[in-house]
Amino acid sequence: MRILVFANTPAHVHLYRHTVDRLEAAGHDVLVLTREYACTTDLLEFFGMPYRIYGTHGTESYSKLRFAREIGGQFATIAREARRFDPDVIFGRGPYAAYAGTLTRTPVVLVLDDEPGDFNHTVSRPFADTILSPAVTRRDLGDDHYTFDGFKECAYLHPDVFERDENVREFLGVDPDEPYVIVRFNALDALHDAGLEGFSPHQRRDLIQRLSDHATVFVSDEGGEIELRDLPARPYSLHPALIHDAMAEASLLVADTGTMATEAALLGTPAFRYRGTDDHEYGEFQALERAGLAEQFDEYAAIRERALEILADDGAAARWQRRRQAYVTDLVNLTELLVDVAESRGVIDQLSSSTRQALQHEHHKQTQP
């Protein structure tokens, strides 16, 4: 079989990397189509994934108008690469996968999460043969929509697939018992981030200064805007492929971005997310909050004080790991599910009975009295 995968962001690389490995090991041909964006191609290189680039995307503020201009120039490259590869099934999300599937008359599988990217869903949904999303999603995307008990991050953070690099503390330059915090600042440059604001420049500086009184602070600044020379913090400078190993060892993650907060929570690291002006209720975070693995805050002072409180709590690390063990172990290993869906060419009825049992037909669930 020939499987085409769209990986437009670093998170997409992680989503599919174990699936690509498994499919290639089974003798299938796999091609990843990607764009130059943040560390996406760095990750593809690190994991040895076969890829070609169809375009670029910067980290400046995004808009629907700019999106339309950008994607228009990229479709020609996507068309050429998709026709050349001639896939049997396509994985992705948004208009990229939808366009490639329509052009090559190939089944399209969309793997979504519960973010409010309604524009992407609206554009791609009519062209999808199968849509997969977490069971915590609150939208019905039609007859071809199936949900699974877990998160898209379960493709690489499920206990069955994630193995922590025991050398990460040495790589970071911290002692075995030295507490450290990872602070993640969002660039807010994606289409679904348009108009949103996270930590202000003043809040960023204040947060770093307060946290540094209790732990070593590593800053991951997606937009590259903060100057750390006069602040008591270090830039997170390891290869981006090691970020999950670093998060797994951290005492705390504080962020105004969603993906890394979800990842930290699934690793059993206290994950605090500042919502800023984002008032959308995400099903994933609600589930993680109920499990006691993540917390969200509307006010800056509240997240700052809660962060300081957890750093002073000697029992927090063990408590979070117990919660992870109780919650995450029973979630779906998404890599196994995606491999099976790929080998069935996206046809759910052709899956094994055990795999079908891991899926719920969302449309039928929503329409049942």
Side-chain angles (χ1 to χ4, degrees):
M1 285 183 58
R2 302 172 70 80
I3 298 100
L4 180 63
V5 175
F6 280 85
N8 299 323
T9 71
H12 297 164
V13 177
H14 289 297
L15 169 62
Y16 291 111
R17 62 187 177 91
H18 292 297
T19 299
V20 170
D21 285 346
R22 290 270 302 274
L23 289 170
E24 288 190 313
H28 302 297
D29 291 329
V30 184
L31 174 65
V32 178
L33 282 184
T34 189
R35 60 187 179 182
E36 291 280 7
Y37 168 63
C39 61
T40 303
T41 54
D42 291 335
L43 290 173
L44 290 166
E45 290 283 352
F46 185 92
F47 295 121
M49 298 169 68
Y51 73 93
R52 293 180 188 146
I53 298 170
Y54 68 79
T56 62
H57 173 61
T59 57
E60 62 271 17
S61 182
Y62 212 20
S63 68
K64 290 183 179 179
L65 176 60
R66 179 170 162 255
F67 173 76
R69 291 173 177 169
E70 180 180 275
I71 199 172
Q74 296 171 352
F75 269 10
T77 304
I78 290 173
R80 182 177 66 253
E81 297 292 351
R83 285 192 177 117
R84 177 187 300 168
F85 187 66
D86 189 24
D88 295 300
V89 63
I90 296 173
F91 282 80
R93 60 175 296 145
Y96 310 95
Y99 173 68
T102 301
L103 192 68
T104 60
R105 298 182 179 180
T106 304
V108 174
V109 179
L110 303 182
V111 183
L112 309 177
D113 53 15
D114 194 36
E115 64 184 29
D118 296 321
F119 177 75
N120 278 328
H121 297 332
T122 300
V123 169
S124 58
R125 172 180 166 182
F127 305 96
D129 296 87
T130 301
I131 301 174
L132 303 177
S133 72
V136 294
T137 187
R138 282 124 343 129
R139 57 167 57 90
D140 174 8
L141 297 178
D143 288 336
D144 300 313
H145 182 198
Y146 295 84
T147 62
F148 55 90
D149 188 14
F151 303 77
K152 73 180 192 313
E153 291 82 6
C154 288
Y156 53 98
L157 296 181
H158 190 279
D160 290 346
V161 296
F162 178 73
E163 295 183 10
R164 181 187 315 187
D165 190 325
E166 300 296 336
N167 297 312
V168 70
R169 282 185 170 270
E170 179 182 348
F171 298 154
L172 287 169
V174 295
D175 294 333
D177 297 324
E178 182 178 348
Y180 68 86
V181 179
I182 297 178
V183 178
R184 171 68 165 182
F185 297 132
N186 198 343
L188 295 171
D189 63 312
L191 182 63
H192 57 264
D193 293 327
L196 296 182
E197 296 179 4
F199 289 111
S200 70
H202 171 74
Q203 290 169 346
R204 293 182 178 197
R205 295 178 63 86
D206 181 67
L207 179 65
I208 291 169
Q209 290 170 336
R210 298 296 188 96
L211 294 177
S212 68
D213 291 335
H214 303 272
T216 299
V217 178
F218 290 96
V219 175
S220 173
D221 182 17
E222 187 178 24
E225 298 176 351
I226 190 166
E227 178 57 67
L228 296 178
R229 283 184 299 182
D230 60 341
L231 288 172
R234 308 183 201 174
Y236 176 80
S237 57
L238 298 188
H239 193 285
L242 298 174
I243 186 61
H244 303 116
D245 306 280
M247 281 196 288
E249 279 287 313
S251 299
L252 172 68
L253 173 97
V254 182
D256 55 6
T257 180
T259 296
M260 282 185 62
T262 300
E263 291 171 336
L266 291 174
L267 289 167
T269 297
F272 296 168
R273 174 178 176 261
Y274 178 52
R275 291 160 57 103
T277 60
D278 185 0
D279 60 0
H280 180 77
E281 293 294 337
Y282 297 86
E284 285 96 332
F285 287 122
Q286 290 178 332
L288 291 169
E289 284 181 305
R290 288 193 295 269
L293 292 169
E295 299 178 23
Q296 296 188 93
F297 301 85
D298 295 321
E299 301 294 333
Y300 168 67
I303 191 171
R304 181 189 64 197
E305 297 311 311
R306 178 62 174 142
L308 298 176
E309 177 185 351
I310 210 71
L311 289 177
D313 184 349
D314 293 335
R319 193 162 63 250
W320 252 261
Q321 284 300 318
R322 287 194 299 269
R323 293 171 183 173
R324 177 191 186 238
Q325 181 68 24
Y327 181 69
V328 179
T329 302
D330 293 332
L331 299 180
V332 166
N333 178 342
L334 185 55
T335 287
E336 290 186 354
L337 177 60
L338 293 180
V339 169
D340 289 348
V341 171
E343 293 183 328
S344 74
R345 289 177 167 83
V347 180
I348 299 301
D349 290 342
Q350 294 183 9
L351 294 172
S352 66
S353 59
S354 60
T355 302
R356 285 201 305 272
Q357 289 175 1
L359 294 171
Q360 302 176 50
H361 197 171
E362 185 66 16
H363 186 63
H364 289 175
K365 185 177 72 174
Q366 295 279 0
T367 55
Q368 286 177 350

